[in-house]
Amino acid sequence: MTIQLNGQPVELPEDVKNIDDLLRHYQLENRIVIVELNHEIADKSKYTQLPIADGDKVEMIHFVGGG
Amino acid sequence: MSIARYSRQELFSPIGKVGQKKLKDARVLLVGAGALGTSSAEMLVRAGVGHITIVDRDYVEWSNLQRQQLYTEKDVMEQLPKAVAARNRLKEVNSEVIVEGIVADVNGMNVEELVKRHGLILDATDNFETRLVINDAAVKHNVPFVFAACVASYGMMFPMIPGRTPCLHCLMDHLPAQNQTCDTVGVISPIVQLVTAYQVTSALKILTENELQPRLQSFDIWKNEQAVINVESLKNKDCPTCGSHPTFPFLAYENQTKAAVLCGRNTVQLRPGMERSIPLDKLALRLKELAGDVTVNPYLLSCTYEDYRLVFFKDGRALIHGTSEPAQAKAIYHRIVG
Ligand SMILES: [Zn+2]
């Protein structure tokens, strides 16, 4: 499927089905991340229950410590 | 003062002569004089912010010159503390403003004294723990705090306004187990400039009392990507920092990273105040290029790094051999673990 990730179209492999999968796909599962799915912030405790579908708009910001 | 000095900024109508006067009367605290700190400080000083305090615990090294714009080769050779070298250069840029350079490790014990006497704080630190310490003090004393960070080609920014926006503690409820840092995955100068451009724009809006939309923003300048999230809904009424019954946990002594100098051994032991587990195998992978003699067993990782020997334990504790300066030891720890 294709989603809009941070404003750009991104093709995702078939096994990415929910927000939790998406974070794993980008190797962000152990990081502090804020995810917005279709303009609503996703609840961290429900990532595995939040399916993503073709055409969804996702904004994803992960925290970094450098400076 | 030359009348022309700020004329282009005064012609910019959202600032104008009235805004310029507000900048002159402002007092801004910059925590950190690395890449972000030197870039933001230079912009603020050129813009005519009347009083700037820049605090840093480290000294200037060769690897800083690629991006830390206030420093020169001479500063490296003289091993000047960053806060001193930064102050010297900023005074050359603008002799009409007050610049204070303070050589210190900002922690829960000294942060409130610093925060109280400023009207705005800019984040230029290199680790989460110090950010959460500043965040606690900022909320407690009602001082806006513009969070900023970057690594590799990626950066982020968030203006925290006490009482109005969620605080940093609402956005990150724990210290991440491990982080990429500029010392492990590198950083390029353009992302520093992009992040500080947004950070200083937020600062100018706050100081001149212009409208500010507090959004969490991120950018990857190499991939040409950016993201914006309205995080208002994440303001947590039970937040230990900005909630209805605040305890300001990061200002408490028991939650500070404790440094113990091991007498006669030229070694500092660090013990994080908050629980933190370090995945040693992952750390070893990342240290392959950066450090020498990396050895891992189920309990600890040891390696050599620059002139030091470092030992990291699974529970977040570390021994830094080769220094008896707690601030220097913490600086190295945060460079490696974040
Ligand atoms: Zn909060």
Side-chain angles (χ1 to χ4, degrees):
Chain A
M1 78 181 129
T2 307
I3 63 164
Q4 287 282 327
L5 180 62
N6 295 348
Q8 304 206 11
V10 171
E11 182 70 35
L12 292 173
E14 289 218 338
D15 57 341
V16 176
K17 295 186 164 60
N18 57 47
I19 299 281
D20 190 58
D21 298 335
L22 185 70
L23 292 181
R24 282 172 201 285
H25 179 67
Y26 286 100
Q27 296 177 330
L28 292 172
E29 70 272 21
N30 292 321
R31 309 279 285 278
I32 294 181
V33 190
I34 293 174
V35 183
E36 193 184 69
L37 175 60
N38 298 324
H39 306 293
E40 214 161 293
I41 292 180
D43 182 341
K44 279 188 174 58
S45 61
K46 296 191 178 126
Y47 282 170
T48 52
Q49 299 150 47
L50 285 169
I52 31 182
D54 203 56
D56 274 351
K57 285 195 173 65
V58 178
E59 299 276 298
M60 194 161 74
I61 295 182
H62 66 275
F63 280 66
V64 293
Chain B
M1 176 170 63
S2 157
I3 291 175
R5 179 155 201 154
Y6 304 112
S7 61
R8 302 304 185 271
Q9 194 162 278
E10 287 170 354
L11 278 170
F12 179 67
S13 60
I15 294 180
K17 280 196 176 355
V18 177
Q20 193 61 46
K21 172 77 171 57
K22 288 178 178 158
L23 293 179
K24 182 170 179 282
D25 295 338
R27 300 172 68 95
V28 177
L29 173 65
L30 271 136
V31 185
L36 295 172
T38 53
S39 172
S40 288
E42 180 162 350
M43 280 191 267
L44 292 177
V45 160
R46 287 188 189 277
V49 169
H51 187 129
I52 288 186
T53 306
I54 187 159
V55 192
D56 195 282
R57 63 186 172 190
D58 221 340
Y59 57 88
V60 186
E61 294 179 271
W62 286 107
S63 65
N64 302 147
L65 298 184
Q66 162 251 2
R67 66 196 183 285
Q68 302 186 13
Q69 69 189 58
L70 296 175
Y71 307 133
T72 62
E73 296 182 354
K74 191 161 170 278
D75 297 326
V76 179
M77 287 183 288
E78 291 176 7
Q79 296 201 359
L80 282 187
K82 289 183 174 180
V84 174
R87 182 197 169 276
N88 293 348
R89 174 62 185 153
L90 293 168
K91 289 299 290 180
E92 284 174 356
V93 168
N94 191 343
S95 61
E96 291 168 0
V97 300
I98 297 168
V99 183
E100 259 185 275
I102 301 178
V103 185
D105 171 52
V106 174
N107 56 55
M109 303 295 104
N110 61 10
V111 68
E112 289 184 71
E113 283 310 309
L114 284 166
V115 162
K116 264 194 274 189
R117 56 189 185 89
H118 294 87
L120 173 67
I121 311 157
L122 299 194
D123 172 19
T125 64
D126 61 359
N127 67 88
F128 286 119
E129 186 183 346
T130 311
R131 288 189 173 96
L132 287 165
V133 166
I134 302 166
N135 179 67
D136 268 13
V139 171
K140 186 172 175 184
H141 296 283
N142 197 27
V143 181
F145 172 45
V146 187
F147 164 77
C150 64
V151 62
S153 59
Y154 176 87
M156 56 188 311
M157 201 279 304
F158 175 67
M160 192 282 289
I161 316 287
R164 182 175 160 203
T165 68
C167 78
L168 204 53
H169 203 157
C170 296
L171 303 186
M172 43 182 301
D173 51 3
H174 64 282
L175 284 175
Q178 196 192 6
N179 262 290
Q180 298 179 331
T181 74
C182 299
D183 290 77
T184 56
V185 297
V187 61
I188 55 171
S189 180
I191 189 60
V192 173
Q193 301 300 335
L194 184 64
V195 170
T196 58
Y198 276 91
Q199 184 184 39
V200 172
T201 304
S202 290
L204 291 175
K205 286 181 177 178
I206 292 167
L207 295 173
T208 59
E209 294 168 75
N210 272 286
E211 182 62 32
L212 173 75
Q213 295 282 336
R215 298 281 186 264
L216 177 67
Q217 285 181 271
S218 73
F219 327 87
D220 190 313
I221 203 166
W222 197 264
K223 296 181 187 158
N224 202 16
E225 283 176 5
Q226 56 175 311
V228 186
I229 299 181
N230 179 351
V231 289
E232 253 166 282
S233 67
L234 292 177
K235 188 159 172 48
N236 173 9
K237 63 177 180 11
D238 299 320
C239 171
T241 298
C242 73
S244 42
H245 297 96
T247 56
F248 307 110
F250 289 92
L251 301 179
Y253 178 73
E254 57 271 23
N255 290 335
Q256 312 288 317
T257 289
K258 305 293 188 311
V261 182
L262 306 186
C263 284
R265 288 180 58 194
N266 199 24
T267 295
V268 177
Q269 174 184 260
L270 297 173
R271 181 189 292 281
M274 270 193 118
E275 208 170 303
R276 171 169 212 183
S277 69
I278 298 184
L280 297 175
D281 43 346
K282 280 192 188 150
L283 182 62
L285 273 180
R286 287 221 327 267
L287 283 174
K288 252 193 324 204
E289 308 247 308
L290 185 73
D293 305 323
V294 181
T295 317
V296 197
N297 67 31
Y299 317 101
L300 58 85
L301 177 157
S302 83
C303 66
T304 55
Y305 172 75
E306 294 177 354
D307 298 331
Y308 310 96
R309 199 161 68 76
L310 316 180
V311 181
F312 294 95
F313 296 88
K314 233 176 23 189
D315 62 358
R317 207 159 46 79
L319 292 172
I320 316 290
H321 301 281
T323 180
S324 47
E325 288 295 321
Q328 180 64 20
K330 274 197 216 174
I332 294 163
Y333 183 91
H334 285 135
R335 271 193 235 160
I336 304 284
V337 189

